[in-house]
Amino acid sequence: MHFGERIRELRESQGLLQRQLAASLEIDTPMFSKIERGERKAKREQVELLASLLHANLSDLLRIWLADQIIDLVKDEPQASEALKTALKEIKKDEH
Amino acid sequence: MHFGERIRELRESQGLLQRQLAASLEIDTPMFSKIERGERKAKREQVELLASLLHANLSDLLRIWLADQIIDLVKDEPQASEALKTALKEIKKDEH
DNA sequence: TATGACTTGTCAAATTTAGGACAATATAGG
DNA sequence: CCTATATTGTCCTAAATTTGACAAGTCATA
């Protein structure tokens, strides 16, 4: 489940058009279409706006959105999984 | 264990000076110092060079180096851990 | 075939950031 | 002290990335 897919689900389940949400985000429909298809990344502030417009849980959307960024960062690396595990351990260490 | 720390360990265990490695990487010592202290990120090609110069395992260095990038990406996000887990699941899915 | 919804491709502007140079400062050994 | 090593701080700019606008396309359906 990528961020864009989730947005599309929410949008369609609420009978909204890309054009309407695009207007709320002050971008054009092609751009919105690209965000839904994962061709472009949404900005953090757009995630916040979308959560609000779609009555969705912000933390949850942010988690998916951030995961997309991470995947984008490591996607071409053979060590991707291992690096993620390493990073996770470090993060957890810091949380204590 | 951050990338820079690991480099420093390797460098000192081999009795090398920052100045020497910096010259091999064609950067100045302040820059090298910053990389060791994690104030600057090394480039991928520098990681490769360092692995070679320090007779270290490249995959292992890349893993640590990539983990640093990931941490840098998520460090300010409350959802960091959860996003990492989500990303990890996605990556593993792709690997099948 | 006309319309509305969405997609695709390309371009340029704008912003960010990486990466490095350099000067000044600290620190430790001889 | 001197000297060599390493650190710190500031500035610069080349390059990469991001972001958005637009034109033109597809597709479904009335």
Side-chain angles (χ1 to χ4, degrees):
Chain A
M1 169 70 65
H2 305 284
F3 177 75
E5 300 178 71
R6 182 78 188 108
I7 293 301
R8 174 161 293 179
E9 274 185 4
L10 290 164
R11 176 176 66 85
E12 292 182 341
S13 75
Q14 293 171 49
L16 295 169
L17 299 175
Q18 286 188 348
R19 155 164 66 79
Q20 300 175 296
L21 288 177
S24 299
L25 300 188
E26 297 180 276
I27 58 179
D28 65 3
T29 20
M31 180 77 58
F32 191 88
S33 168
K34 284 167 188 171
I35 290 174
E36 276 195 352
R37 286 172 296 110
E39 191 181 321
R40 292 291 179 94
K41 288 185 263 183
K43 293 198 270 191
R44 201 184 194 288
E45 68 181 50
Q46 292 172 330
V47 179
E48 290 166 12
L49 247 173
L50 285 170
S52 158
L53 293 165
L54 295 166
H55 315 99
N57 182 276
L58 177 57
S59 295
D60 207 49
L61 276 188
L62 281 174
R63 175 183 56 79
I64 300 172
W65 169 79
L66 192 54
D68 274 8
Q69 325 277 313
I70 297 168
I71 288 168
D72 193 57
L73 176 65
V74 304
K75 64 177 182 304
D76 296 326
E77 295 286 347
Q79 300 293 324
S81 299
E82 296 309 314
L84 280 172
K85 287 178 200 158
T86 301
L88 197 48
K89 280 177 200 159
E90 284 294 325
I91 295 273
K92 281 181 174 161
K93 198 191 302 171
D94 288 354
E95 281 172 355
H96 295 165
Chain B
M1 167 71 65
H2 304 285
F3 177 73
E5 300 177 70
R6 182 78 188 109
I7 293 301
R8 174 162 292 180
E9 275 185 3
L10 289 163
R11 176 176 67 82
E12 291 182 340
S13 75
Q14 293 169 49
L16 295 168
L17 299 176
Q18 286 188 348
R19 159 164 64 79
Q20 300 175 296
L21 288 178
S24 299
L25 299 188
E26 298 180 274
I27 57 177
D28 65 4
T29 19
M31 179 74 58
F32 191 89
S33 168
K34 284 167 187 171
I35 289 175
E36 276 195 352
R37 286 171 296 110
E39 192 180 320
R40 292 294 178 93
K41 288 184 263 185
K43 291 199 268 191
R44 201 182 195 289
E45 67 181 49
Q46 292 172 330
V47 179
E48 291 166 13
L49 248 173
L50 285 170
S52 158
L53 293 165
L54 294 167
H55 315 100
N57 183 276
L58 177 57
S59 295
D60 207 50
L61 276 187
L62 280 175
R63 176 182 56 79
I64 300 172
W65 169 79
L66 192 54
D68 275 7
Q69 325 276 312
I70 297 169
I71 288 167
D72 193 57
L73 176 65
V74 305
K75 61 177 183 305
D76 296 326
E77 295 286 346
Q79 300 293 324
S81 299
E82 296 309 315
L84 280 171
K85 287 177 201 159
T86 300
L88 197 48
K89 280 177 199 159
E90 284 293 326
I91 295 274
K92 283 180 173 162
K93 199 190 303 174
D94 289 353
E95 283 172 353
H96 295 163

